Amino acid sequence: MKKIISTDKAPAAIGPYSQAIEVNGMIYTSGVIPVNPATGEIPEGIEAQADQAIGNLVALLGEAGTSAENVIKTTVFIKEMDDFAKVNAVYAKYFTENCPARSCVEVARLPKDVLIEIEAIAVK
């Protein structure tokens, strides 16, 4: 009933959790951070980090057999709410029509001191 989703096209889990889980045709991702899965590097700046994090999320969704078009809900965690407009501009490149529901919250700190983390729920 529960299927573990894993890909090397997104950062590996850095703790005791799965990158994503499929249950009854629904995909639930863990938070995805802006680590380049090939190099382990973290880009500089919020726009580059947002692009990397959302790109990693899209790669994970692809491995799960779905896409950004099928995302129904995202939660975006950002270090600085002042970056909200910049994050929106990058987000809009990936979610163009029938956008998912979304929450965006400012947090004190994220893993590896990144500026953004994103998680999603999608249908398959």
Side-chain angles (χ1 to χ4, degrees):
M1 184 184 255
K2 177 172 92 169
K3 179 181 176 188
I4 305 299
I5 308 296
S6 179
T7 181
D8 60 3
K9 295 177 183 169
I14 55 175
Y17 60 89
S18 300
Q19 288 175 303
I21 302 283
E22 178 182 349
V23 178
N24 298 327
M26 299 292 297
I27 307 300
Y28 302 87
T29 75
S30 291
V32 179
I33 60 174
V35 173
N36 181 318
T39 66
E41 295 177 2
I42 298 169
E44 294 288 326
I46 188 61
E47 291 99 340
Q49 286 196 22
D51 192 53
Q52 182 71 59
I54 300 169
N56 290 344
L57 177 69
V58 169
L60 181 56
L61 293 168
E63 183 68 27
T66 191
S67 67
E69 294 173 354
N70 293 321
V71 173
I72 58 173
K73 172 75 166 85
T74 63
T75 304
V76 180
F77 306 93
I78 56 177
K79 178 85 168 119
E80 298 287 338
M81 194 55 75
D82 290 343
D83 290 334
F84 185 79
K86 293 175 183 176
V87 170
N88 269 343
V90 175
Y91 188 94
K93 293 188 323 185
Y94 290 90
F95 300 101
T96 57
E97 293 183 19
N98 302 312
C99 297
R102 182 182 78 180
S103 300
C104 182
V105 295
E106 180 182 89
V107 296
R109 194 167 180 202
L110 291 164
K112 298 188 177 271
D113 291 318
V114 299
L115 304 174
I116 184 171
E117 181 174 358
I118 183 169
E119 63 184 29
I121 301 170
V123 294
K124 192 162 178 182

